[in-house]
Amino acid sequence: MSLFSKSGIVNVKMVITEEKILSNIDKVQKMINPNSKKQIIQLEDDAFFKDLIGSIKTYLLEYPKKKNFPSSVYKAAYDLVEYATNQFEDNTKQIEELIRQRETNISLAGKLKGVLESAQNKDKDWKENVKGISGEVSEDIVESLNAIGRCKTDKSENYINSVKLVNARISNLESNLHIEIDMERIEDRSKALSYIGIEVAEALKEIPAPVENAIEETPTVSVEEDNYLTETRVDVKPTLWQRIKNTKIVRIIRNITKIRIRIDVPALPEGRGDNN
């Protein structure tokens, strides 16, 4: 059922609806604020968030006289899309940085494995290998590697504990658990932000930009009204949202998949697949 009467007369009920929509827009903005305590967690499970977006979209699409659309609602909706767009771009940068961190960690894990094997095998250059990695790992790992290289037997408690510590650090670098958690959290936020762009921005494009201090216009025929809409409608960043939907998310998913393949495939021959 439409929120508005067919006559398009702005009455008390309309004013209340306008205030309600403004309130809903404000609620959505707070939910996507990265500093808010009540952020959206998972888009699929947040019916309240979807209902808020649905009410805003319906208001935008079903308002009967687009030329008389409330400027306050238009500005609030436009600002919401702008804010969501900026937040999405910030999230994308964070995701890309986390991906770089994962690549660095995986590379360091491989290097640390090599130094560990060198120390265990008592290679002639094992000390140089430990020194070479000392700037990339913590002091306790350096001490453990040195202890492993100096130990005369692999049965001593010091040797066993040192190997366990180094292997635990390698496992942490490979699993990147904290990075995985951060990435999932950011990806969930990005889904909600892109949902705003898809639903609200598309509906907002159908409304002419309000003109401040505009004089009352005489009635026009439908063809003239169509021309008015065409001439005054603003571009609510459709190309940006297309780029977000068609490029950035795809690239992020590809990068994430690529990194996960690097982690998972080498793990299987070593018998550690069940521990992930």
Side-chain angles (χ1 to χ4, degrees):
M1 178 179 293
S2 174
L3 294 174
F4 311 108
S5 65
K6 293 183 179 179
S7 65
I9 297 175
V10 179
N11 51 29
V12 175
K13 183 177 181 180
M14 180 72 73
V15 173
I16 295 174
T17 303
E18 177 182 337
E19 292 174 349
K20 180 63 176 178
I21 293 302
L22 287 172
S23 174
N24 287 354
I25 292 174
D26 182 64
K27 289 176 182 176
V28 171
Q29 186 129 351
K30 288 178 179 177
M31 291 179 75
I32 63 174
N33 187 327
N35 299 319
S36 174
K37 295 181 179 180
K38 294 184 178 180
Q39 292 185 39
I40 182 171
I41 304 301
Q42 290 187 339
L43 176 63
E44 293 82 358
D45 300 333
D46 203 321
F48 178 65
F49 177 81
K50 287 185 175 181
D51 286 344
L52 288 175
I53 298 299
S55 70
I56 298 168
K57 178 182 178 181
T58 299
Y59 189 96
L60 296 174
L61 292 176
E62 295 192 358
Y63 199 93
K65 293 291 185 179
K66 295 294 192 290
K67 289 198 297 182
N68 298 328
F69 191 86
S71 60
S72 60
V73 176
Y74 183 94
K75 184 180 184 304
Y78 188 95
D79 289 346
L80 176 63
V81 172
E82 188 80 10
Y83 185 73
T85 302
N86 293 336
Q87 288 294 316
F88 190 100
E89 291 189 322
D90 288 344
N91 283 1
T92 301
K93 292 175 183 177
Q94 291 178 44
I95 287 286
E96 291 173 344
E97 177 58 31
L98 289 172
I99 289 172
R100 285 192 289 270
Q101 289 180 22
R102 288 180 57 164
E103 290 178 330
T104 299
N105 287 353
I106 292 166
S107 175
L108 180 57
K111 189 185 296 186
L112 187 53
K113 278 183 181 179
V115 176
L116 173 60
E117 291 175 1
S118 178
Q120 287 177 309
N121 296 332
K122 307 295 189 294
D123 294 341
K124 63 179 181 179
D125 57 350
W126 74 264
K127 291 182 180 179
E128 290 300 317
N129 292 335
V130 173
K131 184 177 179 181
I133 203 174
S134 61
E136 301 178 69
V137 296
S138 58
E139 185 177 348
D140 60 336
I141 295 300
V142 174
E143 291 176 354
S144 295
L145 289 169
N146 283 324
I148 292 168
R150 289 194 299 266
C151 282
K152 303 299 182 181
T153 173
D154 59 5
K155 306 298 182 183
S156 70
E157 183 177 355
N158 188 28
Y159 180 94
I160 293 172
N161 289 337
S162 296
V163 170
K164 284 182 178 180
L165 180 61
V166 175
N167 277 329
R169 187 62 49 86
I170 292 171
S171 178
N172 287 338
L173 288 169
E174 288 180 331
S175 66
N176 289 287
L177 181 59
H178 67 288
I179 293 180
E180 290 283 351
I181 294 172
D182 287 344
M183 288 178 69
E184 289 181 4
R185 175 181 55 80
I186 295 172
E187 287 167 359
D188 285 335
R189 273 180 41 79
S190 292
K191 289 178 184 178
L193 295 169
S194 62
Y195 187 72
I196 292 172
I198 294 169
E199 298 295 315
V200 179
E202 291 299 316
L204 194 60
K205 287 194 300 183
E206 301 303 318
I207 301 172
V211 180
E212 294 184 4
N213 301 322
I215 61 173
E216 183 178 352
E217 298 186 10
T218 57
T220 59
V221 296
S222 59
V223 176
E224 292 175 343
E225 183 169 329
D226 288 340
N227 289 337
Y228 175 87
L229 290 173
T230 302
E231 293 171 0
T232 60
R233 182 178 298 129
V234 296
D235 184 354
V236 190
K237 294 194 174 180
T239 55
L240 176 59
W241 281 109
Q242 279 303 121
R243 188 163 74 252
I244 289 172
K245 291 185 286 183
N246 297 335
T247 304
K248 288 187 176 180
I249 289 179
V250 171
R251 186 173 74 248
I252 291 168
I253 291 173
R254 285 176 180 168
N255 286 338
I256 292 172
T257 304
K258 179 176 64 177
I259 301 301
R260 284 175 179 162
I261 289 175
R262 289 182 188 173
I263 295 175
D264 295 342
V265 173
L268 296 179
E270 298 176 19
R272 289 184 283 110
D274 294 337
N275 296 328
N276 292 339

